[in-house]
Amino acid sequence: MTNQEQTQEPIDQETLAAEQSETIAIEGMAIDPAYVVELEQKLEQATNQAVEEKDRALRTVAEMENLRRRTALDVEKAHKFALEKFASELLPVLDNLERTLQVADKTNEAVKPLLEGVELTLKSMANSVAKFGVIAIDPQGQLFDPNQHQAMSMIENPDVAPNTVIAVMQKGYELNGRVIRPAMVMVSKAPTASVNVEV
């Protein structure tokens, strides 16, 4: 037998367990096993707390990113639709200029220069508001769309398909794709079947 084999004797399990239950020797220092268990529990608590804090930090970052996105959208909408109230106040002026052109006597030579001025004013004003995203909705001949039109009446008309706009009483307007005033329209409906009653 070599010297090394002689030093490795079988270890008695009971002796080993008894030694471990009393103290644990680390680098020449004796440590109580209860203290090791306590340290392991504290390590587990600290690890759990670190995981919770990391999760909380990730949630906070996600919430801040969502808030940043929402704020950017709100600012974009505020810029896009800031003129909505002002544009709504201009719409009656456009309506009145259009009505003036519709009811004026175009055959009267004395009124022609005035009508030309009204027409130029209407075009200029319509172009000005169009630059800021205000566009007229004139649905003559189109299918009725409740998102853009307001039906004032329904009339039987066999010449057109049902739910077709047959007359526009007042143009609607939209600002950057959002309806600020629906068009007031007259809509066709299918003719009712006449009932023949014989006497």
Side-chain angles (χ1 to χ4, degrees), residues 128-140:
S128 295
V129 295
K131 287 178 186 176
F132 294 97
V134 178
I135 299 170
I137 300 172
D138 190 1
Q140 181 72 38

Side-chain angles (χ1 to χ4, degrees), residues 83-110:
L83 296 175
E84 185 170 351
K85 197 169 188 180
F86 179 69
S88 296
E89 293 297 321
L90 289 178
L91 300 183
V93 177
L94 289 168
D95 293 338
N96 290 334
L97 290 172
E98 287 178 352
R99 279 190 210 103
T100 301
L101 292 173
Q102 288 172 358
V103 298
D105 182 10
K106 295 180 175 101
T107 59
N108 187 346
E109 290 297 321

Side-chain angles (χ1 to χ4, degrees), residues 5-41:
E5 290 174 349
Q6 290 174 356
T7 56
Q8 289 184 351
E9 297 177 2
I11 300 173
D12 182 12
Q13 293 296 328
E14 293 176 7
T15 309
L16 182 61
E19 287 176 1
Q20 286 181 347
S21 66
E22 293 174 5
T23 57
I24 297 175
I26 298 176
E27 296 182 5
M29 294 177 50
I31 299 176
D32 184 18
Y35 180 64
V36 172
V37 171
E38 181 184 340
L39 287 178
E40 287 175 347
Q41 289 174 347

